[in-house]
Amino acid sequence: MTRDEAQALLDSCELHALLGLELLQFEPGRVRFRFAPPASARAGEGGAIHGGALATALDTAATFAVISSIGADATTVDLRLDYLRPAVGAELTVDGATVRAGRRFAFADATARADDGRIVASARGTFTW
Amino acid sequence: MTRDEAQALLDSCELHALLGLELLQFEPGRVRFRFAPPASARAGEGGAIHGGALATALDTAATFAVISSIGADATTVDLRLDYLRPAVGAELTVDGATVRAGRRFAFADATARADDGRIVASARGTFTW
Amino acid sequence: MTRDEAQALLDSCELHALLGLELLQFEPGRVRFRFAPPASARAGEGGAIHGGALATALDTAATFAVISSIGADATTVDLRLDYLRPAVGAELTVDGATVRAGRRFAFADATARADDGRIVASARGTFTW
Amino acid sequence: MTRDEAQALLDSCELHALLGLELLQFEPGRVRFRFAPPASARAGEGGAIHGGALATALDTAATFAVISSIGADATTVDLRLDYLRPAVGAELTVDGATVRAGRRFAFADATARADDGRIVASARGTFTW
């Protein structure tokens, strides 16, 4: 799957753009997003990002890592989310990485980092296709 | 915390309304939401609900169950999500239930059910305040 | 799979007996174990049961629930464990239940209950075969 | 907490020795174990290690990572386990690492690696004290 095809897949659901999720890198097993959620996905102006918006960004990054590994669309079977620190910045960097892609399912991770490099939230999930 | 206060807490983040999440019941340890996500949170018109939108609904329901138990705002420490079936209906019922509220953290569950009563996704998490 | 076959499968790994895990019921989608861990699996005489021993009991119960549903051996893909209360009793009842068995993987739950009926630990996992 | 104190804590529950778990390194936020489970914790002679034995090793490594960070005993609140590959070797290396230690709880990871360096199972958990 090319980066353009991955972008088209991302564009096929408006929620990604509404939440300020932008694809920066798409390489086999490794993807990166810029995540700049609007005020509507925060607890008030400049407030903490909603855990569900973070979940969406992490799930998307982990899923796209799997997609980049297997070359086809994938869906989440289950996901663990850890909210390590308050997510208050204007913008986060969200990385997805495939941990292992087998014949029938894959494991992938995602991390959301603040400007200072600290992880504010992370995820580990199982995916299938 | 009264139901009106819970509603105000829900209204303090626009994302809930944008995703079509509406509080139906708010009792100690048990909450219920109607969840009617718009096309923008789906893979195309009438398509499957985005896993991140489901995550938001489940996280919100579990968090509000904890809030109803402890009588104060709570935040998610970690969450496991299971995507049991494709989520394609127009509307889901999302229930949150406190499993155990201790002195410093609580465990809660959430389930999202289709019209036919089948669970399409569920969550179990740890919360603090 | 008959109950005798399930018992033989349980007996094929000595760890189950060493940890005091005994099969009580084996019905489609639902299994029950008695779990009476020895002092060696506790923090001292009469002490709390090791989280790993609880994990073994819960993983085994959830796996056997899946086995009872699909009629063949199954393996754990991933598992979430929740330690709700101190596990100090002489004996626990551990129940496994299949949540959903699909074509390629299944979801199952397990709970470990004390004499007073309270859940001391629970698990939710994804399984394959 | 010194390494000798950590060793004494490990020795306080026999299960660790019974499962072949031996402390190799104990540094702030980072611990390493040798894990050589006996035949009784496998599916037959030379067979795959029981998922519960792996869970015990991973839970112990993650807990001891937290212990090394906070300087006191810690307990598991919840844990996610991923079984990435069949665990068939004679011996595994199990590493625990603290991801974040806060005031009231901590997040830690653990990985179990085969001789060839490949991760056969991993864990992420939340801990308190």
Side-chain angles (χ1 to χ4, degrees):
Chain A
M1 184 176 289
T2 64
R3 195 200 141 128
D4 282 357
E5 290 168 323
Q7 183 64 53
L9 197 56
L10 194 72
D11 293 344
S12 70
C13 180
E14 266 184 78
L15 186 62
H16 301 122
L18 288 175
L19 289 179
L21 208 49
E22 183 190 340
L23 184 63
L24 296 184
Q25 295 174 20
F26 185 78
E27 291 161 31
R30 197 161 287 277
V31 300
R32 174 165 288 181
F33 290 84
R34 200 164 70 96
F35 178 42
S40 59
R42 296 170 182 267
E45 194 69 42
I49 301 167
H50 192 293
L54 276 163
T56 304
L58 292 165
D59 179 33
T60 302
T63 303
F64 272 74
V66 173
I67 289 169
S68 73
S69 290
I70 63 166
D73 198 3
T75 63
T76 309
V77 176
D78 61 56
L79 194 74
R80 175 186 169 106
L81 299 159
D82 289 293
Y83 294 97
L84 305 181
R85 295 181 174 86
V88 291
E91 185 179 317
L92 300 171
T93 299
V94 182
D95 288 303
T98 302
V99 174
R100 168 157 164 71
R103 274 179 312 118
R104 295 181 303 167
F105 44 81
F107 299 92
D109 280 339
T111 55
R113 287 172 196 274
D115 275 354
D116 59 7
R118 301 217 292 188
I119 297 175
V120 299
S122 65
R124 158 65 62 95
T126 301
F127 302 83
T128 194
W129 50 86
Chain B
M1 184 178 290
T2 65
R3 196 202 140 127
D4 283 357
E5 289 168 323
Q7 183 64 53
L9 196 56
L10 194 71
D11 293 343
S12 71
C13 179
E14 269 183 76
L15 185 62
H16 300 123
L18 288 176
L19 290 180
L21 209 49
E22 183 190 341
L23 184 64
L24 296 185
Q25 295 175 18
F26 185 79
E27 290 161 30
R30 198 160 287 276
V31 300
R32 174 165 287 183
F33 290 85
R34 198 163 71 96
F35 177 42
S40 59
R42 295 170 183 267
E45 193 68 43
I49 302 168
H50 192 294
L54 276 163
T56 304
L58 292 165
D59 178 34
T60 301
T63 304
F64 272 73
V66 172
I67 289 169
S68 74
S69 290
I70 64 166
D73 198 3
T75 63
T76 310
V77 176
D78 61 57
L79 194 73
R80 175 186 169 106
L81 300 159
D82 288 294
Y83 295 97
L84 307 181
R85 293 180 176 86
V88 290
E91 186 179 317
L92 299 171
T93 299
V94 182
D95 287 304
T98 302
V99 175
R100 169 157 164 72
R103 274 179 310 119
R104 295 180 302 167
F105 42 81
F107 299 91
D109 279 340
T111 55
R113 288 172 197 274
D115 274 353
D116 60 8
R118 301 216 292 188
I119 297 175
V120 299
S122 65
R124 159 64 62 93
T126 301
F127 302 83
T128 194
W129 48 86
Chain C
M1 182 177 291
T2 66
R3 195 200 141 129
D4 283 358
E5 290 168 322
Q7 183 63 52
L9 196 57
L10 194 71
D11 293 344
S12 71
C13 179
E14 267 183 78
L15 185 63
H16 300 124
L18 288 175
L19 290 181
L21 208 50
E22 183 190 341
L23 184 64
L24 296 184
Q25 294 174 20
F26 185 80
E27 290 160 31
R30 197 160 287 277
V31 301
R32 174 165 287 183
F33 291 85
R34 200 165 70 95
F35 178 42
S40 59
R42 294 170 183 269
E45 194 68 45
I49 301 168
H50 192 294
L54 276 163
T56 304
L58 292 165
D59 178 34
T60 302
T63 303
F64 272 74
V66 173
I67 290 169
S68 75
S69 291
I70 63 166
D73 199 3
T75 63
T76 311
V77 176
D78 61 57
L79 194 73
R80 177 187 167 106
L81 299 159
D82 288 294
Y83 295 97
L84 305 181
R85 295 180 174 86
V88 291
E91 188 178 315
L92 299 171
T93 298
V94 182
D95 288 303
T98 302
V99 175
R100 168 156 163 72
R103 276 180 309 118
R104 295 181 303 167
F105 43 80
F107 299 90
D109 279 340
T111 54
R113 286 173 198 273
D115 275 353
D116 59 8
R118 301 217 290 188
I119 296 175
V120 300
S122 65
R124 159 64 62 95
T126 302
F127 303 83
T128 194
W129 49 87
Chain D
M1 184 179 289
T2 65
R3 196 201 141 129
D4 282 357
E5 290 168 322
Q7 183 64 52
L9 196 58
L10 194 71
D11 294 342
S12 71
C13 179
E14 266 183 79
L15 186 62
H16 299 122
L18 289 175
L19 289 180
L21 208 49
E22 184 190 339
L23 184 63
L24 295 185
Q25 295 175 19
F26 184 79
E27 290 161 31
R30 197 160 286 277
V31 301
R32 174 165 288 182
F33 290 84
R34 199 164 71 96
F35 177 41
S40 59
R42 295 168 183 268
E45 192 70 42
I49 302 168
H50 192 293
L54 276 163
T56 305
L58 291 166
D59 178 34
T60 301
T63 304
F64 272 74
V66 173
I67 290 169
S68 74
S69 290
I70 63 166
D73 199 2
T75 63
T76 310
V77 176
D78 62 56
L79 193 74
R80 175 187 170 105
L81 299 159
D82 288 293
Y83 295 96
L84 305 181
R85 294 181 175 86
V88 291
E91 187 179 316
L92 299 171
T93 299
V94 182
D95 287 303
T98 303
V99 174
R100 169 155 164 72
R103 274 179 312 117
R104 296 180 304 167
F105 44 80
F107 299 90
D109 279 339
T111 55
R113 287 172 197 273
D115 275 355
D116 59 8
R118 301 217 290 187
I119 297 175
V120 300
S122 65
R124 159 64 63 95
T126 302
F127 303 83
T128 193
W129 49 87

